[in-house]
Amino acid sequence: MAQLRFKHLFRIFEHIRPFLSYSIAADDSLYDRRILVIAPHQLDEAVGCGGTIIKHAQNGGHAEIVYCTHENPERMKESEAAASLLGSKRNHFLQFAARSLSGNKRFEETLASIIKRVKPNAVFLPFWFDNHKDHTAVSKALIKINKIVKLNFTVYAYGVWSPVMPNAIVDISSVWEQKQSAIECYKSQLASRDYVKIAQGLNSYWAEIKKPGMKYAETFFKLSAQEYIKLGRKIF
């Protein structure tokens, strides 16, 4: 069984490899654009791409966050506080139950409606292989949505539970403290796991890989929506 799993991983890497390079591009092109951030769970947005959202807002960009699931009123208040620190102009609380997104037609229809209304230039979502059922479900939903609405935006896929093999990087050194404050809004989650430490470790690692002396960076797997969907069809 382990051998089969490794074979599957090698096949996945073969599909991803053409989009990767030794020198990861520093990405500043999204800062004057409309972005839509899709967070399967409240907190994903802050850990996965919080610094990039903050920089985008500081540069006059428009950001909206979609929170796909809902667990309790406390976490709702925490996410509202975090979104305010991140600079989101509008928050969409879909309030689906956790672990209910996979194959959920109502979720897919709701997400399609939001995308049509927002008309984003860039969409941030968990990478295909982020290790959670709801995270994978968001990417799979794009395939279904694309049959209804022709998707025309750039995908910035981020990691929360699994590191991303990136082809784009954003220097967030100047806004790390604001990102940390946004993560710290989720006190109910920090009680069980140190998400600040998780984010700090990932962000400092990639910063040093990109440029010695850089303090913090967020990484993404960046493709056009159509390329991202085509990749997903090959893999799944």
Side-chain angles (χ1 to χ4, degrees), residues 36-49 53 64-70 79 92-94 101 107 111 123-126 134-135 138 158 160 186:
L36 184 68
V37 179
I38 304 176
H41 314 101
Q42 293 148 330
L43 176 63
D44 291 335
E45 81 295 347
V47 172
C49 54
I53 302 170
E64 299 187 21
I65 301 174
V66 180
Y67 294 104
C68 302
T69 62
H70 171 68
S79 63
H92 307 265
F93 294 98
L94 307 191
L101 302 182
F107 164 64
L111 190 57
V123 170
F124 288 72
L125 48 72
D134 285 336
H135 290 209
V138 172
Y158 60 83
V160 176
Y186 290 98

PDB file of all heavy atoms in Angstrom, residues 36-49 53 64-70 79 92-94 101 107 111 123-126 134-135 138 158 160 186:
ATOM      1  N   LEU A  36     -10.511  37.669  -4.005  1.00  0.00           N
ATOM      2  CA  LEU A  36     -11.477  36.928  -3.214  1.00  0.00           C
ATOM      3  C   LEU A  36     -10.721  35.818  -2.506  1.00  0.00           C
ATOM      4  O   LEU A  36     -10.042  35.010  -3.145  1.00  0.00           O
ATOM      5  CB  LEU A  36     -12.569  36.334  -4.106  1.00  0.00           C
ATOM      6  CG  LEU A  36     -13.715  35.612  -3.398  1.00  0.00           C
ATOM      7  CD1 LEU A  36     -14.557  36.608  -2.602  1.00  0.00           C
ATOM      8  CD2 LEU A  36     -14.603  34.873  -4.408  1.00  0.00           C
ATOM      9  N   VAL A  37     -10.806  35.796  -1.199  1.00  0.00           N
ATOM     10  CA  VAL A  37     -10.099  34.797  -0.387  1.00  0.00           C
ATOM     11  C   VAL A  37     -11.110  33.771   0.101  1.00  0.00           C
ATOM     12  O   VAL A  37     -12.095  34.124   0.762  1.00  0.00           O
ATOM     13  CB  VAL A  37      -9.393  35.453   0.815  1.00  0.00           C
ATOM     14  CG1 VAL A  37      -8.676  34.407   1.654  1.00  0.00           C
ATOM     15  CG2 VAL A  37      -8.430  36.537   0.350  1.00  0.00           C
ATOM     16  N   ILE A  38     -10.894  32.506  -0.232  1.00  0.00           N
ATOM     17  CA  ILE A  38     -11.803  31.438   0.185  1.00  0.00           C
ATOM     18  C   ILE A  38     -11.155  30.668   1.330  1.00  0.00           C
ATOM     19  O   ILE A  38     -10.090  30.055   1.174  1.00  0.00           O
ATOM     20  CB  ILE A  38     -12.129  30.493  -0.980  1.00  0.00           C
ATOM     21  CG1 ILE A  38     -12.716  31.286  -2.163  1.00  0.00           C
ATOM     22  CG2 ILE A  38     -13.114  29.415  -0.531  1.00  0.00           C
ATOM     23  CD1 ILE A  38     -12.971  30.452  -3.397  1.00  0.00           C
ATOM     24  N   ALA A  39     -11.797  30.729   2.490  1.00  0.00           N
ATOM     25  CA  ALA A  39     -11.312  30.044   3.689  1.00  0.00           C
ATOM     26  C   ALA A  39     -12.311  28.939   4.044  1.00  0.00           C
ATOM     27  O   ALA A  39     -13.429  29.246   4.469  1.00  0.00           O
ATOM     28  CB  ALA A  39     -11.181  31.023   4.846  1.00  0.00           C
ATOM     29  N   PRO A  40     -11.951  27.676   3.860  1.00  0.00           N
ATOM     30  CA  PRO A  40     -12.873  26.605   4.230  1.00  0.00           C
ATOM     31  C   PRO A  40     -13.314  26.707   5.690  1.00  0.00           C
ATOM     32  O   PRO A  40     -14.462  26.449   6.027  1.00  0.00           O
ATOM     33  CB  PRO A  40     -12.062  25.326   3.987  1.00  0.00           C
ATOM     34  CG  PRO A  40     -11.058  25.729   2.963  1.00  0.00           C
ATOM     35  CD  PRO A  40     -10.720  27.158   3.265  1.00  0.00           C
ATOM     36  N   HIS A  41     -12.355  27.097   6.561  1.00  0.00           N
ATOM     37  CA  HIS A  41     -12.647  27.273   7.985  1.00  0.00           C
ATOM     38  C   HIS A  41     -12.120  28.625   8.438  1.00  0.00           C
ATOM     39  O   HIS A  41     -11.150  29.141   7.874  1.00  0.00           O
ATOM     40  CB  HIS A  41     -11.993  26.163   8.816  1.00  0.00           C
ATOM     41  CG  HIS A  41     -12.199  24.799   8.251  1.00  0.00           C
ATOM     42  ND1 HIS A  41     -11.239  24.143   7.526  1.00  0.00           N
ATOM     43  CD2 HIS A  41     -13.274  23.978   8.296  1.00  0.00           C
ATOM     44  CE1 HIS A  41     -11.702  22.966   7.138  1.00  0.00           C
ATOM     45  NE2 HIS A  41     -12.936  22.845   7.587  1.00  0.00           N
ATOM     46  N   GLN A  42     -12.738  29.167   9.435  1.00  0.00           N
ATOM     47  CA  GLN A  42     -12.276  30.420  10.007  1.00  0.00           C
ATOM     48  C   GLN A  42     -10.909  30.198  10.658  1.00  0.00           C
ATOM     49  O   GLN A  42     -10.764  29.324  11.493  1.00  0.00           O
ATOM     50  CB  GLN A  42     -13.312  30.929  11.017  1.00  0.00           C
ATOM     51  CG  GLN A  42     -14.613  31.337  10.334  1.00  0.00           C
ATOM     52  CD  GLN A  42     -15.845  31.114  11.201  1.00  0.00           C
ATOM     53  OE1 GLN A  42     -15.864  30.212  12.023  1.00  0.00           O
ATOM     54  NE2 GLN A  42     -16.870  31.929  11.007  1.00  0.00           N
ATOM     55  N   LEU A  43      -9.926  30.948  10.240  1.00  0.00           N
ATOM     56  CA  LEU A  43      -8.515  30.902  10.617  1.00  0.00           C
ATOM     57  C   LEU A  43      -7.641  30.559   9.423  1.00  0.00           C
ATOM     58  O   LEU A  43      -6.497  31.019   9.332  1.00  0.00           O
ATOM     59  CB  LEU A  43      -8.227  29.920  11.764  1.00  0.00           C
ATOM     60  CG  LEU A  43      -6.757  29.731  12.174  1.00  0.00           C
ATOM     61  CD1 LEU A  43      -6.175  31.033  12.697  1.00  0.00           C
ATOM     62  CD2 LEU A  43      -6.605  28.651  13.221  1.00  0.00           C
ATOM     63  N   ASP A  44      -8.152  29.770   8.475  1.00  0.00           N
ATOM     64  CA  ASP A  44      -7.356  29.387   7.304  1.00  0.00           C
ATOM     65  C   ASP A  44      -6.817  30.609   6.578  1.00  0.00           C
ATOM     66  O   ASP A  44      -5.672  30.621   6.112  1.00  0.00           O
ATOM     67  CB  ASP A  44      -8.190  28.542   6.328  1.00  0.00           C
ATOM     68  CG  ASP A  44      -8.531  27.172   6.878  1.00  0.00           C
ATOM     69  OD1 ASP A  44      -7.797  26.682   7.741  1.00  0.00           O
ATOM     70  OD2 ASP A  44      -9.550  26.596   6.435  1.00  0.00           O
ATOM     71  N   GLU A  45      -7.647  31.648   6.466  1.00  0.00           N
ATOM     72  CA  GLU A  45      -7.248  32.839   5.713  1.00  0.00           C
ATOM     73  C   GLU A  45      -6.064  33.545   6.375  1.00  0.00           C
ATOM     74  O   GLU A  45      -5.147  34.026   5.697  1.00  0.00           O
ATOM     75  CB  GLU A  45      -8.445  33.801   5.562  1.00  0.00           C
ATOM     76  CG  GLU A  45      -8.768  34.694   6.733  1.00  0.00           C
ATOM     77  CD  GLU A  45      -9.237  34.007   8.013  1.00  0.00           C
ATOM     78  OE1 GLU A  45      -9.563  32.804   7.984  1.00  0.00           O
ATOM     79  OE2 GLU A  45      -9.287  34.687   9.050  1.00  0.00           O
ATOM     80  N   ALA A  46      -6.069  33.617   7.706  1.00  0.00           N
ATOM     81  CA  ALA A  46      -5.006  34.323   8.421  1.00  0.00           C
ATOM     82  C   ALA A  46      -3.687  33.566   8.343  1.00  0.00           C
ATOM     83  O   ALA A  46      -2.628  34.153   8.108  1.00  0.00           O
ATOM     84  CB  ALA A  46      -5.415  34.542   9.880  1.00  0.00           C
ATOM     85  N   VAL A  47      -3.737  32.252   8.532  1.00  0.00           N
ATOM     86  CA  VAL A  47      -2.528  31.437   8.493  1.00  0.00           C
ATOM     87  C   VAL A  47      -1.996  31.318   7.066  1.00  0.00           C
ATOM     88  O   VAL A  47      -0.801  31.497   6.806  1.00  0.00           O
ATOM     89  CB  VAL A  47      -2.788  30.028   9.078  1.00  0.00           C
ATOM     90  CG1 VAL A  47      -1.577  29.120   8.862  1.00  0.00           C
ATOM     91  CG2 VAL A  47      -3.127  30.115  10.549  1.00  0.00           C
ATOM     92  N   GLY A  48      -2.884  31.038   6.115  1.00  0.00           N
ATOM     93  CA  GLY A  48      -2.458  30.735   4.749  1.00  0.00           C
ATOM     94  C   GLY A  48      -1.996  31.924   3.941  1.00  0.00           C
ATOM     95  O   GLY A  48      -1.019  31.827   3.185  1.00  0.00           O
ATOM     96  N   CYS A  49      -2.690  33.069   4.070  1.00  0.00           N
ATOM     97  CA  CYS A  49      -2.354  34.200   3.203  1.00  0.00           C
ATOM     98  C   CYS A  49      -2.633  35.545   3.862  1.00  0.00           C
ATOM     99  O   CYS A  49      -2.827  36.552   3.178  1.00  0.00           O
ATOM    100  CB  CYS A  49      -3.105  34.108   1.881  1.00  0.00           C
ATOM    101  SG  CYS A  49      -4.910  33.949   2.024  1.00  0.00           S
ATOM    102  N   ILE A  53      -2.949  39.461   2.161  1.00  0.00           N
ATOM    103  CA  ILE A  53      -4.194  40.229   2.217  1.00  0.00           C
ATOM    104  C   ILE A  53      -3.930  41.618   2.800  1.00  0.00           C
ATOM    105  O   ILE A  53      -4.405  42.638   2.276  1.00  0.00           O
ATOM    106  CB  ILE A  53      -5.267  39.510   3.063  1.00  0.00           C
ATOM    107  CG1 ILE A  53      -5.560  38.115   2.518  1.00  0.00           C
ATOM    108  CG2 ILE A  53      -6.558  40.337   3.094  1.00  0.00           C
ATOM    109  CD1 ILE A  53      -6.438  37.277   3.444  1.00  0.00           C
ATOM    110  N   GLU A  64     -12.185  40.555  -0.359  1.00  0.00           N
ATOM    111  CA  GLU A  64     -13.339  39.986   0.318  1.00  0.00           C
ATOM    112  C   GLU A  64     -12.993  38.558   0.724  1.00  0.00           C
ATOM    113  O   GLU A  64     -12.250  37.872   0.018  1.00  0.00           O
ATOM    114  CB  GLU A  64     -14.579  40.002  -0.582  1.00  0.00           C
ATOM    115  CG  GLU A  64     -14.994  41.400  -1.010  1.00  0.00           C
ATOM    116  CD  GLU A  64     -16.314  41.439  -1.765  1.00  0.00           C
ATOM    117  OE1 GLU A  64     -17.122  40.485  -1.625  1.00  0.00           O
ATOM    118  OE2 GLU A  64     -16.547  42.423  -2.493  1.00  0.00           O
ATOM    119  N   ILE A  65     -13.540  38.133   1.861  1.00  0.00           N
ATOM    120  CA  ILE A  65     -13.251  36.788   2.376  1.00  0.00           C
ATOM    121  C   ILE A  65     -14.532  35.967   2.440  1.00  0.00           C
ATOM    122  O   ILE A  65     -15.559  36.448   2.931  1.00  0.00           O
ATOM    123  CB  ILE A  65     -12.612  36.853   3.774  1.00  0.00           C
ATOM    124  CG1 ILE A  65     -11.302  37.658   3.736  1.00  0.00           C
ATOM    125  CG2 ILE A  65     -12.334  35.442   4.303  1.00  0.00           C
ATOM    126  CD1 ILE A  65     -10.686  37.891   5.108  1.00  0.00           C
ATOM    127  N   VAL A  66     -14.452  34.742   1.952  1.00  0.00           N
ATOM    128  CA  VAL A  66     -15.559  33.785   2.045  1.00  0.00           C
ATOM    129  C   VAL A  66     -15.204  32.768   3.114  1.00  0.00           C
ATOM    130  O   VAL A  66     -14.242  32.015   2.970  1.00  0.00           O
ATOM    131  CB  VAL A  66     -15.804  33.060   0.707  1.00  0.00           C
ATOM    132  CG1 VAL A  66     -16.958  32.068   0.849  1.00  0.00           C
ATOM    133  CG2 VAL A  66     -16.088  34.050  -0.408  1.00  0.00           C
ATOM    134  N   TYR A  67     -15.963  32.740   4.197  1.00  0.00           N
ATOM    135  CA  TYR A  67     -15.806  31.720   5.227  1.00  0.00           C
ATOM    136  C   TYR A  67     -16.839  30.630   4.952  1.00  0.00           C
ATOM    137  O   TYR A  67     -18.040  30.851   5.083  1.00  0.00           O
ATOM    138  CB  TYR A  67     -16.016  32.318   6.616  1.00  0.00           C
ATOM    139  CG  TYR A  67     -14.963  33.329   7.012  1.00  0.00           C
ATOM    140  CD1 TYR A  67     -15.225  34.696   6.988  1.00  0.00           C
ATOM    141  CD2 TYR A  67     -13.702  32.912   7.419  1.00  0.00           C
ATOM    142  CE1 TYR A  67     -14.258  35.627   7.364  1.00  0.00           C
ATOM    143  CE2 TYR A  67     -12.725  33.826   7.791  1.00  0.00           C
ATOM    144  CZ  TYR A  67     -13.009  35.180   7.755  1.00  0.00           C
ATOM    145  OH  TYR A  67     -12.050  36.088   8.115  1.00  0.00           O
ATOM    146  N   CYS A  68     -16.357  29.460   4.553  1.00  0.00           N
ATOM    147  CA  CYS A  68     -17.266  28.426   4.049  1.00  0.00           C
ATOM    148  C   CYS A  68     -18.029  27.696   5.148  1.00  0.00           C
ATOM    149  O   CYS A  68     -19.185  27.331   4.966  1.00  0.00           O
ATOM    150  CB  CYS A  68     -16.488  27.421   3.210  1.00  0.00           C
ATOM    151  SG  CYS A  68     -15.629  28.166   1.810  1.00  0.00           S
ATOM    152  N   THR A  69     -17.384  27.450   6.285  1.00  0.00           N
ATOM    153  CA  THR A  69     -18.020  26.675   7.350  1.00  0.00           C
ATOM    154  C   THR A  69     -18.126  27.503   8.629  1.00  0.00           C
ATOM    155  O   THR A  69     -17.509  28.558   8.770  1.00  0.00           O
ATOM    156  CB  THR A  69     -17.217  25.388   7.654  1.00  0.00           C
ATOM    157  OG1 THR A  69     -15.902  25.732   8.105  1.00  0.00           O
ATOM    158  CG2 THR A  69     -17.135  24.507   6.414  1.00  0.00           C
ATOM    159  N   HIS A  70     -18.931  26.992   9.536  1.00  0.00           N
ATOM    160  CA  HIS A  70     -19.191  27.695  10.796  1.00  0.00           C
ATOM    161  C   HIS A  70     -19.297  26.661  11.906  1.00  0.00           C
ATOM    162  O   HIS A  70     -19.966  25.637  11.756  1.00  0.00           O
ATOM    163  CB  HIS A  70     -20.497  28.479  10.678  1.00  0.00           C
ATOM    164  CG  HIS A  70     -20.973  29.058  11.976  1.00  0.00           C
ATOM    165  ND1 HIS A  70     -20.311  30.072  12.617  1.00  0.00           N
ATOM    166  CD2 HIS A  70     -22.057  28.762  12.741  1.00  0.00           C
ATOM    167  CE1 HIS A  70     -20.962  30.387  13.729  1.00  0.00           C
ATOM    168  NE2 HIS A  70     -22.015  29.597  13.826  1.00  0.00           N
ATOM    169  N   SER A  79     -13.416  35.505  13.853  1.00  0.00           N
ATOM    170  CA  SER A  79     -13.137  35.714  12.429  1.00  0.00           C
ATOM    171  C   SER A  79     -13.467  37.136  11.999  1.00  0.00           C
ATOM    172  O   SER A  79     -12.773  37.718  11.153  1.00  0.00           O
ATOM    173  CB  SER A  79     -13.918  34.709  11.571  1.00  0.00           C
ATOM    174  OG  SER A  79     -15.312  34.885  11.714  1.00  0.00           O
ATOM    175  N   HIS A  92     -18.177  37.020   3.700  1.00  0.00           N
ATOM    176  CA  HIS A  92     -19.301  36.160   3.344  1.00  0.00           C
ATOM    177  C   HIS A  92     -19.265  34.941   4.265  1.00  0.00           C
ATOM    178  O   HIS A  92     -18.328  34.137   4.196  1.00  0.00           O
ATOM    179  CB  HIS A  92     -19.191  35.716   1.886  1.00  0.00           C
ATOM    180  CG  HIS A  92     -19.026  36.846   0.907  1.00  0.00           C
ATOM    181  ND1 HIS A  92     -20.088  37.420   0.243  1.00  0.00           N
ATOM    182  CD2 HIS A  92     -17.909  37.519   0.500  1.00  0.00           C
ATOM    183  CE1 HIS A  92     -19.635  38.384  -0.547  1.00  0.00           C
ATOM    184  NE2 HIS A  92     -18.322  38.465  -0.410  1.00  0.00           N
ATOM    185  N   PHE A  93     -20.256  34.801   5.111  1.00  0.00           N
ATOM    186  CA  PHE A  93     -20.322  33.678   6.048  1.00  0.00           C
ATOM    187  C   PHE A  93     -21.351  32.670   5.541  1.00  0.00           C
ATOM    188  O   PHE A  93     -22.562  32.871   5.675  1.00  0.00           O
ATOM    189  CB  PHE A  93     -20.691  34.169   7.449  1.00  0.00           C
ATOM    190  CG  PHE A  93     -19.644  35.051   8.072  1.00  0.00           C
ATOM    191  CD1 PHE A  93     -19.755  36.429   8.031  1.00  0.00           C
ATOM    192  CD2 PHE A  93     -18.524  34.500   8.694  1.00  0.00           C
ATOM    193  CE1 PHE A  93     -18.796  37.246   8.601  1.00  0.00           C
ATOM    194  CE2 PHE A  93     -17.554  35.310   9.261  1.00  0.00           C
ATOM    195  CZ  PHE A  93     -17.687  36.686   9.217  1.00  0.00           C
ATOM    196  N   LEU A  94     -20.860  31.583   4.937  1.00  0.00           N
ATOM    197  CA  LEU A  94     -21.770  30.609   4.325  1.00  0.00           C
ATOM    198  C   LEU A  94     -22.377  29.666   5.354  1.00  0.00           C
ATOM    199  O   LEU A  94     -23.448  29.125   5.125  1.00  0.00           O
ATOM    200  CB  LEU A  94     -21.022  29.811   3.255  1.00  0.00           C
ATOM    201  CG  LEU A  94     -20.292  30.639   2.181  1.00  0.00           C
ATOM    202  CD1 LEU A  94     -19.825  29.728   1.051  1.00  0.00           C
ATOM    203  CD2 LEU A  94     -21.168  31.762   1.642  1.00  0.00           C
ATOM    204  N   LEU A 101     -18.437  20.032   2.850  1.00  0.00           N
ATOM    205  CA  LEU A 101     -18.305  20.747   1.580  1.00  0.00           C
ATOM    206  C   LEU A 101     -18.134  19.831   0.375  1.00  0.00           C
ATOM    207  O   LEU A 101     -18.532  20.182  -0.739  1.00  0.00           O
ATOM    208  CB  LEU A 101     -17.121  21.721   1.642  1.00  0.00           C
ATOM    209  CG  LEU A 101     -17.156  22.785   2.744  1.00  0.00           C
ATOM    210  CD1 LEU A 101     -15.940  23.695   2.625  1.00  0.00           C
ATOM    211  CD2 LEU A 101     -18.448  23.588   2.691  1.00  0.00           C
ATOM    212  N   PHE A 107     -23.318  24.301  -1.718  1.00  0.00           N
ATOM    213  CA  PHE A 107     -22.080  25.040  -1.505  1.00  0.00           C
ATOM    214  C   PHE A 107     -21.514  25.519  -2.838  1.00  0.00           C
ATOM    215  O   PHE A 107     -21.121  26.686  -2.979  1.00  0.00           O
ATOM    216  CB  PHE A 107     -21.053  24.170  -0.779  1.00  0.00           C
ATOM    217  CG  PHE A 107     -19.645  24.686  -0.851  1.00  0.00           C
ATOM    218  CD1 PHE A 107     -19.302  25.902  -0.267  1.00  0.00           C
ATOM    219  CD2 PHE A 107     -18.657  23.958  -1.511  1.00  0.00           C
ATOM    220  CE1 PHE A 107     -17.998  26.390  -0.340  1.00  0.00           C
ATOM    221  CE2 PHE A 107     -17.362  24.441  -1.585  1.00  0.00           C
ATOM    222  CZ  PHE A 107     -17.036  25.656  -1.002  1.00  0.00           C
ATOM    223  N   LEU A 111     -21.041  29.440  -3.876  1.00  0.00           N
ATOM    224  CA  LEU A 111     -19.724  29.960  -4.217  1.00  0.00           C
ATOM    225  C   LEU A 111     -19.717  30.543  -5.627  1.00  0.00           C
ATOM    226  O   LEU A 111     -19.125  31.603  -5.873  1.00  0.00           O
ATOM    227  CB  LEU A 111     -18.680  28.850  -4.099  1.00  0.00           C
ATOM    228  CG  LEU A 111     -17.206  29.264  -4.195  1.00  0.00           C
ATOM    229  CD1 LEU A 111     -16.867  30.312  -3.131  1.00  0.00           C
ATOM    230  CD2 LEU A 111     -16.310  28.043  -4.039  1.00  0.00           C
ATOM    231  N   VAL A 123      -8.094  34.770  -6.969  1.00  0.00           N
ATOM    232  CA  VAL A 123      -8.787  34.006  -5.927  1.00  0.00           C
ATOM    233  C   VAL A 123      -7.746  33.213  -5.139  1.00  0.00           C
ATOM    234  O   VAL A 123      -6.913  32.510  -5.724  1.00  0.00           O
ATOM    235  CB  VAL A 123      -9.836  33.053  -6.528  1.00  0.00           C
ATOM    236  CG1 VAL A 123     -10.363  32.085  -5.461  1.00  0.00           C
ATOM    237  CG2 VAL A 123     -10.998  33.841  -7.128  1.00  0.00           C
ATOM    238  N   PHE A 124      -7.803  33.337  -3.825  1.00  0.00           N
ATOM    239  CA  PHE A 124      -6.918  32.604  -2.927  1.00  0.00           C
ATOM    240  C   PHE A 124      -7.702  31.449  -2.321  1.00  0.00           C
ATOM    241  O   PHE A 124      -8.810  31.646  -1.789  1.00  0.00           O
ATOM    242  CB  PHE A 124      -6.398  33.525  -1.821  1.00  0.00           C
ATOM    243  CG  PHE A 124      -5.392  34.541  -2.296  1.00  0.00           C
ATOM    244  CD1 PHE A 124      -5.782  35.611  -3.084  1.00  0.00           C
ATOM    245  CD2 PHE A 124      -4.049  34.413  -1.953  1.00  0.00           C
ATOM    246  CE1 PHE A 124      -4.854  36.544  -3.536  1.00  0.00           C
ATOM    247  CE2 PHE A 124      -3.113  35.341  -2.399  1.00  0.00           C
ATOM    248  CZ  PHE A 124      -3.523  36.411  -3.197  1.00  0.00           C
ATOM    249  N   LEU A 125      -7.148  30.260  -2.386  1.00  0.00           N
ATOM    250  CA  LEU A 125      -7.810  29.069  -1.837  1.00  0.00           C
ATOM    251  C   LEU A 125      -6.768  28.028  -1.475  1.00  0.00           C
ATOM    252  O   LEU A 125      -5.628  28.112  -1.917  1.00  0.00           O
ATOM    253  CB  LEU A 125      -8.829  28.515  -2.842  1.00  0.00           C
ATOM    254  CG  LEU A 125      -8.420  28.321  -4.307  1.00  0.00           C
ATOM    255  CD1 LEU A 125      -7.478  27.152  -4.481  1.00  0.00           C
ATOM    256  CD2 LEU A 125      -9.658  28.101  -5.166  1.00  0.00           C
ATOM    257  N   PRO A 126      -7.136  27.032  -0.666  1.00  0.00           N
ATOM    258  CA  PRO A 126      -6.166  25.992  -0.302  1.00  0.00           C
ATOM    259  C   PRO A 126      -5.743  25.170  -1.517  1.00  0.00           C
ATOM    260  O   PRO A 126      -6.545  24.915  -2.415  1.00  0.00           O
ATOM    261  CB  PRO A 126      -6.921  25.128   0.711  1.00  0.00           C
ATOM    262  CG  PRO A 126      -7.985  26.022   1.244  1.00  0.00           C
ATOM    263  CD  PRO A 126      -8.396  26.888   0.083  1.00  0.00           C
ATOM    264  N   ASP A 134     -12.326  19.380   3.573  1.00  0.00           N
ATOM    265  CA  ASP A 134     -12.977  20.619   3.164  1.00  0.00           C
ATOM    266  C   ASP A 134     -12.071  21.478   2.287  1.00  0.00           C
ATOM    267  O   ASP A 134     -12.548  22.202   1.410  1.00  0.00           O
ATOM    268  CB  ASP A 134     -13.402  21.431   4.391  1.00  0.00           C
ATOM    269  CG  ASP A 134     -14.629  20.851   5.089  1.00  0.00           C
ATOM    270  OD1 ASP A 134     -15.407  20.136   4.432  1.00  0.00           O
ATOM    271  OD2 ASP A 134     -14.800  21.110   6.294  1.00  0.00           O
ATOM    272  N   HIS A 135     -10.763  21.416   2.518  1.00  0.00           N
ATOM    273  CA  HIS A 135      -9.830  22.213   1.726  1.00  0.00           C
ATOM    274  C   HIS A 135      -9.790  21.719   0.281  1.00  0.00           C
ATOM    275  O   HIS A 135      -9.860  22.508  -0.661  1.00  0.00           O
ATOM    276  CB  HIS A 135      -8.443  22.164   2.350  1.00  0.00           C
ATOM    277  CG  HIS A 135      -8.349  22.897   3.644  1.00  0.00           C
ATOM    278  ND1 HIS A 135      -7.185  23.484   4.098  1.00  0.00           N
ATOM    279  CD2 HIS A 135      -9.279  23.153   4.603  1.00  0.00           C
ATOM    280  CE1 HIS A 135      -7.405  24.069   5.265  1.00  0.00           C
ATOM    281  NE2 HIS A 135      -8.670  23.861   5.595  1.00  0.00           N
ATOM    282  N   VAL A 138     -12.902  22.702  -1.893  1.00  0.00           N
ATOM    283  CA  VAL A 138     -12.980  24.028  -2.514  1.00  0.00           C
ATOM    284  C   VAL A 138     -12.408  23.993  -3.924  1.00  0.00           C
ATOM    285  O   VAL A 138     -13.005  24.516  -4.869  1.00  0.00           O
ATOM    286  CB  VAL A 138     -12.242  25.073  -1.651  1.00  0.00           C
ATOM    287  CG1 VAL A 138     -12.165  26.411  -2.388  1.00  0.00           C
ATOM    288  CG2 VAL A 138     -12.943  25.252  -0.313  1.00  0.00           C
ATOM    289  N   TYR A 158      -2.822  28.347  -1.509  1.00  0.00           N
ATOM    290  CA  TYR A 158      -1.990  28.431  -0.309  1.00  0.00           C
ATOM    291  C   TYR A 158      -2.062  27.130   0.491  1.00  0.00           C
ATOM    292  O   TYR A 158      -2.908  26.276   0.241  1.00  0.00           O
ATOM    293  CB  TYR A 158      -2.407  29.621   0.564  1.00  0.00           C
ATOM    294  CG  TYR A 158      -3.847  29.597   1.073  1.00  0.00           C
ATOM    295  CD1 TYR A 158      -4.200  28.879   2.204  1.00  0.00           C
ATOM    296  CD2 TYR A 158      -4.855  30.322   0.420  1.00  0.00           C
ATOM    297  CE1 TYR A 158      -5.505  28.863   2.687  1.00  0.00           C
ATOM    298  CE2 TYR A 158      -6.160  30.318   0.887  1.00  0.00           C
ATOM    299  CZ  TYR A 158      -6.484  29.596   2.022  1.00  0.00           C
ATOM    300  OH  TYR A 158      -7.780  29.584   2.499  1.00  0.00           O
ATOM    301  N   VAL A 160      -2.164  25.305   4.454  1.00  0.00           N
ATOM    302  CA  VAL A 160      -2.392  25.443   5.895  1.00  0.00           C
ATOM    303  C   VAL A 160      -1.918  24.174   6.591  1.00  0.00           C
ATOM    304  O   VAL A 160      -1.073  24.198   7.480  1.00  0.00           O
ATOM    305  CB  VAL A 160      -3.876  25.701   6.218  1.00  0.00           C
ATOM    306  CG1 VAL A 160      -4.089  25.740   7.735  1.00  0.00           C
ATOM    307  CG2 VAL A 160      -4.343  27.017   5.595  1.00  0.00           C
ATOM    308  N   TYR A 186      -7.969  34.360  17.063  1.00  0.00           N
ATOM    309  CA  TYR A 186      -8.607  33.052  17.190  1.00  0.00           C
ATOM    310  C   TYR A 186      -8.158  32.359  18.469  1.00  0.00           C
ATOM    311  O   TYR A 186      -7.508  31.313  18.448  1.00  0.00           O
ATOM    312  CB  TYR A 186      -8.275  32.195  15.965  1.00  0.00           C
ATOM    313  CG  TYR A 186      -8.939  32.665  14.703  1.00  0.00           C
ATOM    314  CD1 TYR A 186      -8.256  33.453  13.774  1.00  0.00           C
ATOM    315  CD2 TYR A 186     -10.262  32.316  14.420  1.00  0.00           C
ATOM    316  CE1 TYR A 186      -8.868  33.880  12.608  1.00  0.00           C
ATOM    317  CE2 TYR A 186     -10.884  32.744  13.251  1.00  0.00           C
ATOM    318  CZ  TYR A 186     -10.182  33.522  12.354  1.00  0.00           C
ATOM    319  OH  TYR A 186     -10.784  33.948  11.189  1.00  0.00           O
TER     320      TYR A 186
END
